[in-house]
Amino acid sequence: MQQSETSAMKRTSLNAWNLSLGRAICGDVQAGLEREWLVTNGLGGYAAGSLLGATTRSYHGLLVAALRPPIERWVLVTKVDEELRLPQGPVLRLGVNEYHDGTLDPQGMSYLDSVCLEGDIPCFRYRLGTALILEKRIWMEYGQNTTYVQYALHGSYDESGEQVREPSLLTLLPFCVARSHHSTLRGDPGWHFQVEQEGNRYRIRASADTPVYQLIVGPSARFEPRGLWYWRVLHRHDRERGLPCEEDVYLPGVFHLPLMPGDRVTLVLSAEQEPPAALGSPQHEEQVAQAYAHHRRRLKQLLAVADRSVEDLAQSDPVRARLVVAADQFIVARPQYVLTPTGKRYLQLSPDHKTIIAGYPWFEVWGRDAMIALPGLLLSTGRYSEARGLLKAFASSANQGLLPNRLPENAAAPEYNTADASLWLFRALDRYLAATGDWTLLKELFPALEEILQWYMRGTRFGIGMDQRDGLLFVGLGTSDLQLTWMDARVDGCPVTPRRGKPVEINALWYNALACMESWAVRLAVDATRYSQLRIQVRKHFAERFWYPEGGYLYDVVDVDGETGENDSALRPNQLFAVALPRRLLSDEQARSIVERVRAELLTPLGLRTLSPRDPHYRSRFNGDQRQRDSAYHQGTVWPWLIGAYIDAYLHVYKDNQAILPLLEPLVRHLWEACLGTVSEVAEPEPPFTPAGCFAQAWSVAEVLRCWTLVTE
């Protein structure tokens, strides 16, 4: 690729690092409520909300604590509203709340001038007069269920143009709940949260069986008890999704803080048993400043690790820097607790005990998602030790050859209903070895890899196994209610796209795994004959079984429900993996034909449709209640993560890097469109391709980052 082309693309996205939205969005109620922000803590906990401050989802909160990292997430503080009384002036109400009848009160969007990301910290700027601005910054302590909400006043003049000589009075209204982030809270006039004061720390507890959390302020703050319920707050996104959408929130009291221009004051929200002792003391703001500085140092280190060849990645490649920060949000700790000599327990954060959250705000750890996302999230960011630990952890978790599909939020046993997570492990390990040359890990994992393939060869649970006649894998035979591929939506307990038989991407991954094992066995001086013979058998039968000559592309499933010759000709993106994976299965002419058919019918600015619009089962709309969404999930809905397979396949066919950057540019622009600085799970299949689903998805970010790095280095 020409250097000038790369530089031109970087210039068009120069502000991807200093990402901001101005008054045109902040002053528009609909646009401001549609856009969201997210910060995370490396434990699975997070803080999130709408740009304007209203909670448009039950999942929104300033303190959503992972009580059993990385799961069991509880919303404890939904939001904080602000009121500012200027000297000899009016009270300015800066918050925004939406209620069940459509009422917006207060309407602080009239003051919100801009929102930007400073690294990963959202900064909200409220213009209060001719030259007076209040800034609010929100971040979380890495490895702690602790959120900092910091306010800074800038400027010298009030509404009348006079120089400010007296402090303004900032009043903070924290709205409290205590519930799973999947639910909503109903209040009662006779129910009052317990509030225990210890200096400038206020311990909040909704009831005897809910967590205790703290609101901590500096010594300048004065607490005024309220004990009020705010009834029937609306979560508009939940209403659109057909979910419970009204909630009652509790205001235990308000904090009054004097504020002069140049001052900073911080409200700290924490579910930790022992937040730093300096918080709430006369050294409160000094402790906050240290936490802020530590947070910024960690961010700088992430960028340095991602690319050691440049001094400032944010300057040299702002798009990549932004995506590196987005990637970090999904990399979370797996529980590893250490007892101190005094008997206290603390969570140890180490590189070899990490995993990947599939998406925010509602997804948990999914094996398939983790293996697909690993190359982009961990290898494209230089986090090799974390990749190594994650590969070891998942390889050791295999059960009868299958990796866990999902680690549930409710602490239930892992679910193993996936035919491809184990196969994606081979692809992730292959990329890891190419990046690191860490052959000691291969030697360590080789027995587990052999066992996985043995189970697939002889057959394992859920009707997953190898057809001895052609070496191809079948899945789901003898089952009726399971979804075993990534197209896993169900309606009324039945898979929408069951894909029982021999799915195309499963067999492309199977071939890739066999080819990997063949070469790895040779490297380790192990007999590779079985893998070599089976790989040859699969290659011989793949094209003749999957090629659909009338369409010029691959069948999505052959031998449907075990019926030889019964094939599904739906045009889907799954076939791309037969071209995108490095071990080739098709002729150049077939590969080119597939890419062209996919480009003509599936490619959109935000990724690939999951079904051709020409198909009678195509669903042209995703959003709606759960039935509507699940019915459309893989029947046309666009998935950004699939752009990775398309780009890999395109480069194999055309070897033209210059054509790739324009494909990524709409996904870069998307960083401004939904949740600031990250990439959504899905999008509507028809223009304007509105983002939908989870507002931050691991494999979406991972594949955009991997491809950006691939074509700009």
Side-chain angles (χ1 to χ4, degrees):
M1 180 176 58
Q2 306 254 343
Q3 181 62 36
S4 59
E5 176 71 18
T6 304
S7 300
M9 180 57 192
K10 290 179 182 177
R11 284 197 298 272
T12 64
S13 306
L14 186 62
N15 61 344
W17 179 249
N18 299 311
L19 192 157
S20 64
L21 294 170
R23 183 65 190 155
I25 297 296
C26 297
D28 183 316
V29 173
Q30 296 304 318
L33 291 178
E34 284 297 318
R35 286 169 172 80
E36 298 168 90
W37 57 270
L38 170 71
V39 298
T40 61
N41 66 354
L43 297 179
Y46 63 90
S50 71
L51 229 59
L52 300 189
T55 52
T56 59
R57 305 179 190 269
S58 65
Y59 297 96
H60 281 165
L62 279 179
L63 179 59
V64 185
L67 301 181
R68 195 167 60 84
I71 56 175
E72 201 175 320
R73 287 166 283 186
W74 277 54
V75 183
L76 301 174
V77 180
T78 62
K79 59 173 298 186
V80 173
D81 277 356
E82 302 85 16
E83 297 176 356
L84 191 72
R85 181 184 292 277
L86 301 175
Q88 292 86 42
V91 174
L92 309 179
R93 303 172 68 207
L94 308 183
V96 177
N97 295 302
E98 187 172 19
Y99 293 90
H100 69 284
D101 59 359
T103 298
L104 287 174
D105 181 60
Q107 299 188 18
M109 61 276 185
S110 59
Y111 302 104
L112 185 61
D113 194 58
S114 67
V115 180
C116 68
L117 286 181
E118 298 176 345
D120 61 343
I121 298 176
C123 176
F124 305 81
R125 292 188 173 92
Y126 299 88
R127 186 169 295 278
L128 308 177
T130 51
L132 199 63
I133 292 176
L134 180 71
E135 292 182 344
K136 175 173 68 174
R137 290 175 174 84
I138 302 170
W139 74 95
M140 296 190 80
E141 183 86 14
Y142 186 75
Q144 301 283 322
N145 287 307
T146 299
T147 303
Y148 298 86
V149 187
Q150 185 178 79
Y151 300 88
L153 193 62
H154 301 284
S156 303
Y157 299 91
D158 62 15
E159 291 286 353
S160 64
E162 296 295 324
Q163 188 167 0
V164 174
R165 300 183 185 278
E166 301 176 31
S168 299
L169 186 66
L170 178 65
T171 299
L172 304 179
L173 295 80
F175 294 102
C176 297
V177 295
R179 57 167 175 80
S180 163
H181 72 158
H182 294 302
S183 64
T184 56
L185 183 70
R186 285 299 188 190
D188 186 283
W191 178 12
H192 295 280
F193 286 23
Q194 303 168 28
V195 181
E196 297 180 1
Q197 180 181 358
E198 183 180 329
N200 295 306
R201 298 179 176 221
Y202 297 82
R203 289 183 171 83
I204 310 295
R205 191 166 196 169
S207 63
D209 57 352
T210 60
V212 176
Y213 52 101
Q214 299 185 47
L215 312 180
I216 310 173
V217 290
S220 67
R222 177 175 60 87
F223 181 70
E224 178 188 340
R226 291 283 178 87
L228 298 176
W229 285 99
Y230 283 65
W231 307 103
R232 301 183 71 182
V233 173
L234 177 68
H235 303 311
R236 59 162 53 192
H237 282 316
D238 291 344
R239 180 177 61 186
E240 295 164 1
R241 300 178 73 237
L243 301 174
C245 60
E246 295 180 14
E247 176 160 54
D248 306 324
V249 296
Y250 189 79
L251 180 68
V254 301
F255 296 99
H256 301 291
L257 302 96
L259 194 60
M260 286 286 290
D263 286 349
R264 294 178 185 270
V265 295
T266 310
L267 172 64
V268 181
L269 318 171
S270 183
E272 296 297 318
Q273 290 184 355
E274 296 183 9
L279 291 176
S281 76
Q283 291 75 45
H284 178 83
E285 291 302 330
E286 293 177 22
Q287 176 66 38
V288 171
Q290 291 178 19
Y292 178 81
H294 177 75
H295 186 92
R296 300 291 292 180
R297 284 196 301 271
R298 182 178 179 275
L299 190 71
K300 186 176 181 179
Q301 183 181 18
L302 287 177
L303 298 182
V305 169
D307 193 339
R308 295 175 174 86
S309 67
V310 298
E311 184 174 342
D312 186 351
L313 183 61
Q315 179 65 33
S316 64
D317 192 340
V319 172
R320 186 177 176 198
R322 170 57 55 206
L323 291 169
V324 167
V325 171
D328 181 60
Q329 295 183 320
F330 303 99
I331 304 164
V332 299
R334 289 182 286 118
Q336 184 186 29
Y337 291 95
V338 176
L339 286 177
T340 67
T342 60
K344 293 180 180 178
R345 192 177 76 149
Y346 70 93
L347 182 70
Q348 187 178 47
L349 300 175
S350 58
D352 59 343
H353 277 76
K354 297 292 180 69
T355 190
I356 292 172
I357 287 281
Y360 292 96
W362 53 74
F363 281 132
E364 304 135 336
V365 176
W366 290 70
R368 173 191 297 116
D369 296 56
M371 292 298 99
I372 292 173
L374 186 150
L377 297 189
L378 295 176
L379 302 184
S380 296
T381 58
R383 300 172 72 160
Y384 301 136
S385 61
E386 290 159 306
R388 190 182 205 276
L390 188 57
L391 288 166
K392 288 178 61 177
F394 269 99
S396 66
S397 70
N399 187 296
Q400 295 186 29
L402 304 180
L403 265 60
N405 186 37
R406 174 173 170 259
L407 302 176
E409 185 89 36
N410 61 3
E415 299 172 359
Y416 285 88
N417 57 319
T418 168
D420 57 339
S422 299
L423 303 177
W424 280 110
L425 169 67
F426 286 82
R427 180 64 183 127
L429 178 59
D430 191 32
R431 287 185 181 272
Y432 171 81
L433 296 173
T436 66
D438 182 6
W439 302 109
T440 59
L441 178 63
L442 174 63
K443 186 175 182 180
E444 183 178 347
L445 296 186
F446 196 79
L449 301 175
E450 285 190 303
E451 184 176 358
I452 288 171
L453 293 190
Q454 289 296 328
W455 276 105
Y456 274 81
M457 290 175 192
R458 64 175 176 257
T460 183
R461 63 179 77 178
F462 309 129
I464 300 169
M466 184 181 74
D467 188 333
Q468 301 295 330
R469 297 169 297 178
D470 55 19
L472 300 176
L473 285 185
F474 52 78
V475 306
L477 298 190
T479 69
S480 60
D481 61 347
L482 291 177
Q483 65 281 22
L484 298 169
T485 73
W486 84 273
M487 292 188 162
D488 56 1
R490 297 201 300 178
V491 172
D492 296 332
C494 296
V496 177
T497 54
R499 307 184 73 222
R500 291 185 293 268
K502 299 171 181 174
V504 63
E505 83 283 9
I506 300 295
N507 280 282
L509 287 163
W510 172 236
Y511 180 78
N512 185 74
L514 293 170
C516 285
M517 282 296 282
E518 180 184 3
S519 63
W520 295 341
V522 171
R523 184 176 189 92
L524 297 177
V526 174
D527 185 6
T529 304
R530 185 170 190 182
Y531 304 118
S532 176
Q533 292 175 342
L534 190 51
R535 178 190 61 77
I536 293 169
Q537 183 184 14
V538 171
R539 180 177 176 82
K540 177 187 177 203
H541 291 287
F542 183 90
E544 69 181 38
R545 298 300 315 282
F546 279 98
W547 184 250
Y548 176 41
E550 291 83 358
Y553 58 90
L554 299 179
Y555 288 116
D556 189 57
V557 183
V558 301
D559 296 350
V560 175
D561 289 328
E563 297 293 328
T564 302
E566 187 67 29
N567 303 324
D568 179 2
S569 60
L571 178 59
R572 296 188 182 275
N574 305 310
Q575 62 188 297
L576 279 172
F577 293 104
V579 184
L581 290 166
R583 279 78 174 184
R584 308 303 178 190
L585 280 161
L586 303 166
S587 69
D588 289 345
E589 292 75 17
Q590 289 172 323
R592 184 176 297 107
S593 179
I594 289 168
V595 169
E596 288 306 314
R597 288 302 304 270
V598 168
R599 175 162 61 178
E601 300 189 39
L602 303 183
L603 183 65
T604 78
L606 285 189
L608 270 61
R609 295 186 179 98
T610 41
L611 185 63
S612 168
R614 298 174 179 269
D615 195 288
H617 296 103
Y618 174 75
R619 304 293 290 266
S620 62
R621 182 172 177 269
F622 170 77
N623 272 316
D625 62 20
Q626 185 167 348
R627 174 180 285 272
Q628 163 67 25
R629 297 193 312 275
D630 288 346
S631 297
Y633 216 27
H634 304 106
Q635 297 289 73
T637 298
V638 171
W639 290 73
W641 82 274
L642 293 169
I643 197 67
Y646 179 80
I647 286 176
D648 288 339
Y650 186 93
L651 288 175
H652 165 64
V653 170
Y654 294 107
K655 301 174 177 59
D656 179 12
N657 283 30
Q658 294 188 40
I660 298 305
L661 287 173
L663 293 174
L664 291 173
E665 191 167 9
L667 285 157
V668 172
R669 290 198 302 268
H670 171 69
L671 298 171
W672 283 260
E673 292 176 347
C675 184
L676 295 188
T678 191
V679 186
S680 300
E681 176 192 12
V682 297
E684 292 285 355
E686 296 294 331
F689 306 107
T690 304
C694 261
F695 54 63
Q697 193 77 359
W699 58 15
S700 299
V701 170
E703 285 296 87
V704 174
L705 172 56
R706 183 182 66 81
C707 290
W708 180 267
T709 304
L710 179 70
V711 299
T712 57
E713 283 190 333

